[in-house]
Amino acid sequence: MHLKLNDEFLKPFVSLEELDGIEPEVKRAFSYVENENGPGNDFLGWKTLPLDYDKEEFDRIKKCADKIKQTGDVLVVVGIGGSYLGARAAIEFLYSQNYNALKDKTKVYFAGNTLSPESLNEILQLIDGKSWYLNIISKSGTTTEPSIAFRVLIEKLEKDFGKEALSERIIATTDKSRGALKQLCDEKGYETFVIPDNVGGRYSVLTAVGLLPMAVAGIDIDKVMSGAAQAVADFSDDSMNACNKYAAIRNLLYRKDKTVELFVSYEPSCLMLNEWLKQLFGESEGKDEKGIFPAGAIFSTDLHSLGQYIQEGKKQIFETVISYKTVDNDIIIKETEDNSDGLNFLADKKLSEINDIAKRATSIAHCNGGVPVIELEFEKRDEATLGYLFYFFERACGISAYISGVNPFNQPGVESYKKNMFALLGKEGFEELKEKLEKEF
């Protein structure tokens, strides 16, 4: 596995002296992760997960996925945040945004990540008349969005297959021993997989949370874990390797008022990977009035909407471009006789080559326009790369947050909107807050 951090478009913004200067901070942050002695250290289970994951459960995941693939047309995955973003990012990264339409495999739909009735109704229409299974992912079983979807989908499942079939068609990924969902599973006999106590939601993609949907989609999860294990080996020291260097560069740019990180790919299949990265970094770093704001874009598409701002707007942005060299299905541009579109100068060129040149041209323009560009380059898009990439960003995020002086593994601000929502909906125990909100707003 090979990852290259290209700093060609960083030189005007970050000097070698600055990198040398921040190295002691990187080493200290690395030690917090490695020795598990920093804030939030009880949520570092992801650190060695690619090596010490539960092999018995891993085999059960593959067997469960095989059963679903053999007897089901659809798996509906119910979860929000880290309970769905990683799996969806993985499937789209390896296939495409159109995987359900293009692949002759069991389809995987995602529900419970919104309160939109139209969205949930679409899922109900898509599974109507199909043989389908339901994977509910929640540590507590009481998160509002997935809980509502789960309630609606159980009703549909019972209507389609009968009450006796629920224990065969519902799979829960939840806490090992406690919580409302675990209790329900024990009572009803649903098959369960574990979200480890020491792995937070946004770091859970390499647990059953992400692995079961991946396996159902036909992804070789052994190769995913192998790629992640290689990343563990590659980033196990405190040298300025690509992972530590990336964390250092982010913090140096932040100190120069580059407060927005735009995750960029030139492949639409990386759209949901950007969404996974937004949660990973946003929830990990955005606290104590600190943190880089994570955003995402697909180029060249978004150059026709955001390009003007990036080039000449407020100089608060830096880019992290994720790319891979090998393209499986290429297109060669052919010459036309009339050349009415003026594109004959591209004749005999591969579309991937044009895309690469667009990437380089854009990075040059943005760098010259005051926008630093970090390039992370992989050899090819495959399962091993996917596992490597997930682990790289998880570790880099933890180290980066420690450098900035925050706990990477809590998210106290997430609860604020939930309390207000419960109060306004009339949930028992929130009467005083409801009265306060209705007076103030």
Side-chain angles (χ1 to χ4, degrees):
M1 181 62 58
H2 179 67
L3 163 66
K4 177 184 177 185
L5 192 159
N6 179 12
D7 59 4
E8 178 182 3
F9 304 108
L10 283 170
K11 291 174 183 175
F13 310 99
V14 176
S15 69
L16 291 175
E17 289 77 18
E18 287 172 316
L19 279 171
D20 288 341
I22 201 174
E23 191 166 357
E25 296 178 61
V26 174
K27 289 182 181 296
R28 183 166 57 252
F30 175 90
S31 74
Y32 285 158
V33 172
E34 199 62 23
N35 299 323
E36 302 184 11
N37 57 1
N41 56 50
D42 48 345
F43 282 96
L44 278 162
W46 56 269
K47 181 171 65 77
T48 58
L49 195 61
L51 306 176
D52 59 16
Y53 60 92
D54 185 330
K55 307 302 188 294
E56 185 274 331
E57 179 170 89
F58 192 79
D59 287 339
R60 282 202 303 117
I61 289 170
K62 291 193 285 186
K63 287 176 183 175
C64 181
D66 286 342
K67 182 185 82 170
I68 294 170
K69 287 188 289 184
Q70 289 165 12
T71 61
D73 303 310
V74 175
L75 173 68
V76 180
V77 179
V78 175
I80 195 166
S83 293
Y84 94 101
L85 282 170
R88 186 165 176 181
I91 294 168
E92 293 195 10
F93 176 83
L94 291 174
Y95 300 139
S96 89
Q97 294 169 289
N98 302 309
Y99 66 95
N100 279 325
L102 292 172
K103 296 293 179 182
D104 186 22
K105 297 179 179 180
T106 302
K107 302 180 189 307
V108 182
Y109 297 125
F110 294 89
N113 49 66
T114 173
L115 292 170
S116 163
E118 293 181 341
S119 176
L120 187 52
N121 267 311
E122 285 180 2
I123 298 294
L124 294 173
Q125 291 175 41
L126 286 166
I127 62 179
D128 197 41
K130 304 288 196 302
S131 172
W132 63 282
Y133 289 79
L134 178 57
N135 178 207
I136 171 70
I137 304 174
S138 175
K139 209 157 195 173
S140 66
T142 58
T143 305
T144 306
E145 294 90 341
S147 294
I148 289 173
F150 188 43
R151 177 177 288 202
V152 172
L153 286 161
I154 283 182
E155 182 182 353
K156 169 71 172 167
L157 200 62
E158 187 173 336
K159 179 183 175 183
D160 286 354
F161 305 107
K163 196 169 186 176
E164 65 282 355
L166 296 184
S167 62
E168 285 295 316
R169 291 185 174 265
I170 295 176
I171 306 103
T173 308
T174 188
D175 192 271
K176 183 178 182 179
S177 58
R178 60 185 183 272
L181 181 55
K182 174 59 176 171
Q183 182 179 344
L184 177 69
C185 293
D186 290 344
E187 290 172 0
K188 302 293 186 180
Y190 304 154
E191 182 168 13
T192 60
F193 296 102
V194 174
I195 305 172
D197 288 339
N198 60 355
V199 178
R202 59 187 176 275
Y203 290 83
S204 66
V205 64
L206 296 176
T207 71
V209 170
L211 295 174
L212 178 61
M214 286 188 223
V216 171
I219 294 171
D220 187 332
I221 59 175
D222 285 289
K223 291 180 180 178
V224 172
M225 296 305 279
S226 175
Q230 183 61 56
V232 174
D234 288 354
F235 305 126
S236 61
D237 64 77
D238 65 358
S239 67
M240 273 296 190
N241 55 48
C243 186
N244 293 334
K245 187 176 180 181
Y246 172 59
I249 290 167
R250 295 180 78 253
N251 277 273
L252 287 171
L253 291 173
Y254 179 57
R255 294 170 190 181
K256 298 183 179 188
D257 296 324
K258 301 297 183 182
T259 57
V260 177
E261 180 172 20
L262 188 64
F263 292 104
V264 172
S265 177
Y266 285 74
E267 292 290 342
S269 61
C270 291
L271 177 65
M272 289 305 300
L273 178 64
N274 287 347
E275 295 300 304
W276 179 78
L277 288 165
K278 283 160 63 175
Q279 187 201 7
L280 179 68
F281 283 91
E283 281 193 355
S284 296
E285 292 188 319
K287 56 203 71 165
D288 302 336
E289 297 188 9
K290 298 178 182 179
I292 299 165
F293 183 85
I298 299 296
F299 289 172
S300 61
T301 306
D302 290 328
L303 290 174
H304 294 261
S305 57
L306 298 175
Q308 172 61 38
Y309 186 95
I310 296 168
Q311 190 70 43
E312 295 185 344
K314 185 174 175 61
K315 298 306 175 188
Q316 60 188 335
I317 297 172
F318 70 94
E319 294 174 6
T320 295
V321 179
I322 303 162
S323 62
Y324 48 88
K325 294 180 181 178
T326 305
V327 175
D328 293 329
N329 299 303
D330 219 329
I331 292 175
I332 296 176
I333 307 302
K334 296 179 181 178
E335 186 173 358
T336 61
E337 189 172 336
D338 61 7
N339 193 31
S340 58
D341 55 13
L343 293 179
N344 273 355
F345 75 99
L346 297 176
D348 298 325
K349 283 187 169 59
K350 294 178 179 178
L351 191 52
S352 63
E353 179 186 352
I354 298 169
N355 202 22
D356 284 341
I357 291 172
K359 176 166 73 74
R360 181 162 181 78
T362 303
S363 294
I364 292 170
H366 289 178
C367 178
N368 288 339
V371 179
V373 180
I374 307 167
E375 291 190 345
L376 300 173
E377 301 172 344
F378 292 87
E379 188 61 39
K380 57 185 176 179
R381 181 180 63 159
D382 61 9
E383 285 98 335
T385 295
L386 176 70
Y388 194 98
L389 192 118
F390 278 140
Y391 189 84
F392 169 86
F393 279 114
E394 287 176 347
R395 179 174 272 272
C397 182
I399 291 170
S400 182
Y402 277 141
I403 292 172
S404 69
V406 300
N407 178 350
F409 308 116
N410 67 353
Q411 54 280 340
V414 172
E415 298 303 315
S416 297
Y417 93 90
K418 294 180 182 178
K419 292 175 183 176
N420 290 346
M421 183 173 68
F422 292 153
L424 293 172
L425 286 170
K427 185 174 181 178
E428 186 178 351
F430 290 83
E431 293 83 3
E432 188 176 332
L433 179 57
K434 177 179 172 66
E435 184 179 351
K436 180 176 182 290
L437 292 173
E438 288 178 344
K439 282 182 180 178
E440 292 181 355
F441 298 95

